[in-house]
Amino acid sequence: MASIAPGSFIPSLKPNQTFTRASNFNAVSLAVNGKFFPSLKLSSAPSRFRVSCAATPETVDKVCNIVRKQLALGDDAAVTGESKFASLGADSLDTVEIVMGLEEEFGISVEEESAQTIATVQDAADMIEKLISKN
Amino acid sequence: MLWHYCKLGLKMKMHCFTQKMFCTSSLSPLQLPSRMETHLWYVLPNEVKSQSLLSQYVDLLSPIEKDHVFSMRGDELQKGALLARALVRTTISRYQIHSRVSPSSLVFRKNIHGKPEVIWEQSDDWHPPSLHFNLSHTSSLIACGVTVGSPIGIDVEEKQRTTKNNILSFAKRYFSCEEVKVLSAISDPEVQRHEFIKLWTLKEAYVKALGIGFSGAPFNTFTIRVGAANSNPEGSAIVVVPLEKPTNLTTNWQFAQVELAGSHYAAICRQNDGLSGGAMEVIVRKTIPLVEEHHVTTIDPIVPVDDFS
């Protein structure tokens, strides 16, 4: 019985594709007012050409570190602004713990409504900037 | 091929008492749960190793589901996502619902709050059953609960799950005052951690049963009260108590907690129709989709810990 070899998980469909870096297609899931929309596929544009969001790179980095720690991913794990919490393996308990970690790190308070709309690291960073600027 | 899979099944380590084992090369039909039963299915990813079997699972999925599976980061997460969809599709299609339903023909959508549901084919001469399901997974176990006539929410967690935050800090931030008091009263940190995990799964199961999302029912707006085992022999020992008035949170729900595979706590929440005398009848089956299932006959119902001294 063959066990799964890394990188050849589903040979008939994605041969030799490894997922140690962000995938070539950028799937962005939009969550607006708690409603979940199917993923949109963007062409592979580098993140610096995206429409600029409010969060600074420093904020994004801090969020990435908190996420890495919570999900025990290792310091060199590829976590970027576009990383989706669900795709990184975060379940609901992880997400709540991440939000708590963000509250402590940034001195903010996150409403449950806002917490539900966070799907990516970037979403979290943008929300943090908004909450900080309100303080 | 079938014999090979059966032999494979016999070699697997069992963590639970089992009564009957079926080798299901195709999908043999199942009786729908009665209105008083809750069916709970689970699969252990560690026991699914065959690449050809996993490829068969991929073939069951819709294009959107395939995209979702491949968007997961790494083999283990992809496998978990794949098994979850395979479990739901194979399980639901087996209930004797309609001859034209196959695992791959099922169509799912999410309600406006994101809760998945089946869209049944409508026709003049056939009315779909009121079948409800809910999924939950951890990295090491994926579970699917099925009911007829009642919304259902389930949540599973590893018994060994730890939190990065201090448990009481976490509870103070997210749980109700009464729940914090209950947890604070537990002096043994390990017992406290286990009770925290169990309470988390109960609260998650309730919110998922409601189907209105985490923000529709913030955890600190309701208490899950776990009564002593002998306080109410007729009724359920677990009740939900909304804390705000007025509230959109309903209370006609019943709860059950079971241990699965010796390694996980599972909480189930479904509507209380007042007929079943309180205790939820849960039928647990361990399965490998398309291959086999084991009816687990000895479940350890989790007895509420009522003495924390």
Side-chain angles (χ1 to χ4, degrees):
Chain A
M1 170 182 41
S3 57
I4 297 177
S8 59
F9 175 60
I10 316 283
S12 56
L13 285 165
K14 299 272 183 192
N16 299 320
Q17 182 159 11
T18 58
F19 287 87
T20 52
R21 301 197 311 275
S23 358
N24 287 332
F25 56 86
N26 295 321
V28 176
S29 76
L30 300 180
V32 179
N33 295 329
K35 296 182 191 182
F36 184 83
F37 293 83
S39 299
L40 300 179
K41 298 271 185 317
L42 308 177
S43 57
S44 56
S47 53
R48 64 180 178 276
F49 294 132
R50 281 180 54 174
V51 172
S52 153
C53 301
T56 65
E58 289 78 20
T59 301
V60 173
D61 276 344
K62 279 187 185 172
V63 175
C64 287
N65 284 334
I66 288 170
V67 169
R68 278 191 198 98
K69 276 210 189 66
Q70 176 62 35
L71 303 180
L73 293 178
D75 292 337
D76 54 349
V79 180
T80 67
E82 282 153 358
S83 301
K84 282 168 63 176
F85 293 129
S87 301
L88 295 172
D91 63 12
S92 50
L93 184 49
D94 289 312
T95 304
V96 169
E97 287 221 88
I98 288 170
V99 168
M100 202 168 153
L102 298 177
E103 289 182 327
E104 283 171 9
E105 173 74 25
F106 293 98
I108 52 176
S109 179
V110 179
E111 297 297 308
E112 265 85 352
E113 289 78 5
S114 311
Q116 192 165 352
T117 63
I118 297 172
T120 66
V121 168
Q122 189 71 49
D123 293 339
D126 293 344
M127 177 197 66
I128 290 163
E129 295 285 7
K130 208 159 55 168
L131 290 170
I132 289 176
S133 64
K134 275 192 189 158
N135 282 352
Chain B
M1 180 83 101
L2 169 63
W3 176 85
H4 172 75
Y5 283 130
C6 285
K7 199 168 156 217
L8 173 70
L10 288 167
K11 282 184 184 167
M12 278 186 286
K13 218 161 69 157
M14 297 300 156
H15 297 282
C16 45
F17 295 101
T18 60
Q19 186 177 54
K20 281 186 247 190
M21 176 166 129
F22 297 95
C23 286
T24 52
S25 61
S26 59
L27 297 161
S28 52
L30 285 169
Q31 280 275 355
L32 280 166
S34 73
R35 292 185 90 88
M36 305 206 295
E37 285 173 352
T38 302
H39 288 181
L40 187 64
W41 298 81
Y42 72 92
V43 57
L44 302 177
N46 286 347
E47 294 184 353
V48 184
K49 295 193 178 84
S50 155
Q51 241 174 341
S52 73
L53 184 57
L54 292 165
S55 292
Q56 287 180 62
Y57 294 159
V58 173
D59 289 340
L60 301 177
L61 269 45
S62 70
I64 290 180
E65 287 170 339
K66 285 178 195 165
D67 286 346
H68 172 75
V69 166
F70 296 138
S71 77
M72 301 299 287
R73 187 77 65 81
D75 290 345
E76 288 307 309
L77 291 177
Q78 289 188 11
K79 184 180 174 187
L82 175 59
L83 285 175
R85 298 317 305 165
L87 178 64
V88 170
R89 284 183 171 274
T90 55
T91 302
I92 290 180
S93 64
R94 287 179 63 192
Y95 287 106
Q96 287 160 2
I97 294 165
H98 198 289
S99 55
R100 288 205 302 275
V101 171
S102 68
S104 48
S105 73
L106 285 168
V107 180
F108 294 89
R109 69 165 171 220
K110 294 187 177 174
N111 75 3
I112 57 166
H113 301 288
K115 183 171 185 184
E117 53 195 28
V118 180
I119 309 175
W120 298 105
E121 251 182 61
Q122 298 288 343
S123 68
D124 289 335
D125 59 345
W126 183 70
H127 299 286
S130 171
L131 184 146
H132 299 256
F133 73 93
N134 196 236
L135 260 180
S136 176
H137 41 122
T138 68
S139 55
S140 47
L141 185 146
I142 299 157
C144 180
V146 181
T147 51
V148 164
S150 161
I152 177 175
I154 71 167
D155 191 52
V156 294
E157 277 301 344
E158 290 173 0
K159 286 162 72 174
Q160 296 311 310
R161 178 80 182 249
T162 55
T163 54
K164 291 285 177 299
N165 295 281
N166 168 270
I167 282 175
L168 288 182
S169 305
F170 185 99
K172 282 173 187 159
R173 171 67 183 82
Y174 287 108
F175 286 5
S176 72
C177 292
E178 182 178 328
E179 289 164 341
V180 172
K181 276 208 194 83
V182 167
L183 288 172
S184 303
I186 305 172
S187 51
D188 183 317
E190 258 305 279
V191 175
Q192 188 188 69
R193 190 181 59 75
H194 280 262
E195 292 307 308
F196 166 80
I197 301 280
K198 282 158 31 182
L199 186 53
W200 171 270
T201 60
L202 285 165
K203 292 175 82 77
E204 268 286 291
Y206 173 63
V207 172
K208 291 175 78 181
L210 288 176
I212 58 175
F214 195 59
S215 65
F219 273 20
N220 59 3
T221 63
F222 64 93
T223 287
I224 297 281
R225 193 172 288 161
V226 181
N230 57 359
S231 67
N232 187 1
E234 295 256 315
S236 167
I238 306 173
V239 293
V240 57
V241 181
L243 299 173
E244 293 174 344
K245 289 183 168 60
T247 179
N248 61 336
L249 300 181
T250 46
T251 56
N252 57 329
W253 298 92
Q254 57 175 184
F255 296 85
Q257 289 182 289
V258 293
E259 273 193 32
L260 298 176
S263 55
H264 287 72
Y265 292 128
I268 306 164
C269 176
R270 60 166 293 162
Q271 254 164 2
N272 188 346
D273 56 9
L275 300 172
S276 46
M280 195 190 295
E281 189 184 339
V282 183
I283 297 175
V284 180
R285 293 185 184 95
K286 178 178 171 219
T287 182
I288 295 180
L290 301 179
V291 177
E292 60 172 56
E293 70 195 45
H294 308 265
H295 181 194
V296 178
T297 55
T298 303
I299 314 279
D300 297 322
I302 300 177
V303 177
V305 179
D306 54 359
D307 177 7
F308 298 137
S309 55

